[in-house]
Amino acid sequence: MRYIEPHGHMVSRVTDDYIDMVTAGCACVCEPAFWAGYDRSSVNGFYDYFCQLTDYEPKRAARFGLPHFCWLCINPKESEDVKLAEEVVALIPKFLERPNVLGIGEIGLNKNSRNEMKVLEMHVDLAARQNQMILVHTPHLEDKLKGTRLIVDAIKSDQRIQPDRVIIDHVEEHTIQLVLDAGFWAGMTLYPESKCSPARAIDMLENYGSERLWLNSACDWGVSIPLNVPYTALEMKRRAWSAEDIDKVVYQNPLKFLSQCKKFKLPKG
Ligand SMILES: [Zn+2]
């Protein structure tokens, strides 16, 4: 089996997880910038984090032959302080030139607050000005539907952004259609406790088809299973999916979306 982990917060995982992922057939990992489990106290915390995502972490992954890419932003959980967000957004352009940076993410909303909206719009503007792709986080609280609508409307209203260069992640049964109808890609995040289980993800794939969809494990600092993409592939096999159809979802789809960024290249063979 081969697969791509398109959304893994590897800085919060141990090196053994890299070994397990490579052993399971992982062809590359992409790491969106996110919360560290605590709020950073200043823009310098983000500077160090961006150095970690663009320098140290790719080297750690390379020890196991795994290409590592990343996305940069100030995440919605730390977006209440608009002044701090402005400082972080001003820091991002010089990091965008680094070879493993794919775009702006994971931006979005957490509590759907006014300040979070302001910071979301700041990032969308940055992506438009710098011609960058976008990866979006949708809220996990009861306001997911409202938050997803706000995000879709905010991005759609910026004519400079091509929807097929944007992925809206953490979709569930009540938000997937809305995202696909707007022309965006949609991501399903496989968690043991919340968001979307492997069985629910496969149900959605069977209901909505597998165009413009990817699966990811999040691999974050909370309870998560870094091998949930290959585990879901096994479950698809059990449900009589063909090897080709599984490969499309876990490998070819993320490859197609991510290859829109010229810097995204996988080693041959
Ligand atoms: Zn994430």
Side-chain angles (χ1 to χ4, degrees), residues 7-9 32-34 106 135 137 170 191 195 216 218 220:
H7 186 144
H9 298 289
F34 198 55
E106 59 187 296
L135 189 151
H137 164 100
H170 319 318
Y191 261 127
K195 296 180 198 163
N216 66 81
D220 60 24

Side-chain angles (χ1 to χ4, degrees), residues 18-156:
Y18 275 125
I19 296 171
D20 290 345
M21 289 162 74
V22 171
T23 307
C26 191
C28 79
V29 61
C30 307
E31 176 151 7
F34 198 55
W35 198 48
Y38 60 90
D39 289 350
R40 295 161 181 96
S41 60
S42 77
V43 68
N44 294 331
F46 285 90
Y47 179 87
D48 291 343
Y49 179 48
F50 295 162
C51 290
Q52 187 181 18
L53 289 178
T54 56
D55 183 14
Y56 178 72
E57 206 56 35
K59 285 181 188 150
R60 187 161 72 119
R63 285 172 54 203
F64 308 99
L66 188 65
H68 176 284
F69 298 92
C70 69
W71 302 74
L72 302 178
C73 73
I74 175 169
N75 64 87
K77 272 172 105 84
E78 289 174 87
S79 292
E80 271 312 317
D81 183 342
V82 176
K83 189 173 168 300
L84 173 64
E86 282 168 353
E87 289 172 10
V88 177
V89 168
L91 188 65
I92 292 173
K94 71 172 172 209
F95 281 95
L96 291 176
E97 295 154 16
R98 296 203 174 179
N100 75 327
V101 179
L102 300 176
I104 305 298
E106 59 187 296
I107 59 172
L109 298 173
N110 182 44
K111 293 183 183 152
N112 300 337
S113 74
R114 199 178 289 258
N115 283 351
E116 286 173 15
M117 274 305 286
K118 229 184 247 176
V119 175
L120 169 66
E121 283 162 6
M122 246 186 246
H123 281 106
V124 174
D125 178 63
L126 173 67
R129 283 188 281 115
Q130 301 273 344
N131 193 27
Q132 295 290 316
M133 289 167 59
I134 295 177
L135 189 151
V136 183
H137 164 100
T138 49
H140 302 308
L141 307 171
E142 61 278 7
D143 282 346
K144 180 182 278 288
L145 179 59
K146 183 183 166 202
T148 305
R149 281 201 184 113
L150 287 168
I151 289 164
V152 164
D153 290 347
I155 300 178
K156 283 293 251 189

